[in-house]
Amino acid sequence: MAYKTCDWCGRSYKPMFSADRDAGNAFADAMGLTIGVKAIGGIARLAGKRNFCSKQCKLAYENSKNGGNSSNTESSGENSTVQESNGGTMGGIGKMFGDVFSSTGEEMKSMFNEKKENKAKTEKIVNLQFATDKEELQNQIQNLFTQISALPRFKTPEQKALYNAIKEKLEFGIMKLNSSGAAAEADFFQKKYDKLK
């Protein structure tokens, strides 16, 4: 006899004919298909039956059909099997899709937060006021170089906007440093800036 798939847990099993027939007959009786048994030769009794690999799966299915939410546990030696009444193959598929949608939702939330963070950083760069003190101005410019180098090579539109804002500020900062009499430092930062292009 061919292998069958359990309608509750999804496991493949090779049924014993008599147990399989009895399960089908019980289902047929429950559905009222016993009327045509003699005319059709017993085929109607097996039509529409469910396949279960064990009594635990059958009991779990019946509990779920009757609206029971309890789980059934059987222990034998070292092995312990737990079948929940809300599962089976469909429960596993539902959980899988739930996990996929949950992880997709988390990714979307993460992307949204990253966009928001990059916009806030861009706004902060745009509003940055350079110091008049040469040392503090150099520190600000070095900080901008650190921020721009932390951005990835392939940028999202928000990261590209941040990159462009930093470049613009660097250009202005280098010009301001040069006009404050720190030509050597301005030249050093200009060479670093030229590598960005």
Side-chain angles (χ1 to χ4, degrees), residues 121-129 165 169:
K121 284 180 183 177
T122 303
E123 195 173 315
K124 187 177 178 183
I125 295 296
V126 168
N127 295 326
L128 175 70
Q129 296 294 319
K169 272 297 177 183

Side-chain angles (χ1 to χ4, degrees), residues 60-115:
Y61 169 75
E62 288 171 357
N63 284 342
S64 71
K65 193 171 84 172
N66 294 332
N69 288 329
S70 62
S71 59
N72 185 30
T73 306
E74 178 188 290
S75 296
S76 60
E78 293 179 14
N79 296 333
S80 173
T81 312
V82 176
Q83 290 292 335
E84 292 186 12
S85 61
N86 62 351
T89 304
M90 294 311 290
I93 292 170
K95 183 181 182 321
M96 180 184 73
F97 279 118
D99 291 346
V100 167
F101 290 129
S102 175
S103 66
T104 303
E106 289 298 318
E107 286 176 26
M108 294 290 285
K109 190 176 179 182
S110 175
M111 283 173 51
F112 177 75
N113 288 339
E114 189 177 329
K115 281 183 179 185

Side-chain angles (χ1 to χ4, degrees), residues 14 32 36 59 94-95 108 110 119 124 130 148-149 152-153 173:
K14 190 168 187 174
L59 187 59
K95 183 181 182 321
M108 294 290 285
S110 175
K119 283 183 180 181
K124 187 177 178 183
F130 283 114
I148 206 166
S149 66
R153 184 173 182 188

Side-chain angles (χ1 to χ4, degrees), residues 47-63:
K49 71 171 187 64
R50 293 207 173 264
N51 299 311
F52 300 109
C53 64
S54 66
K55 289 180 183 178
Q56 292 87 357
C57 287
K58 182 178 179 184
L59 187 59
Y61 169 75
E62 288 171 357
N63 284 342

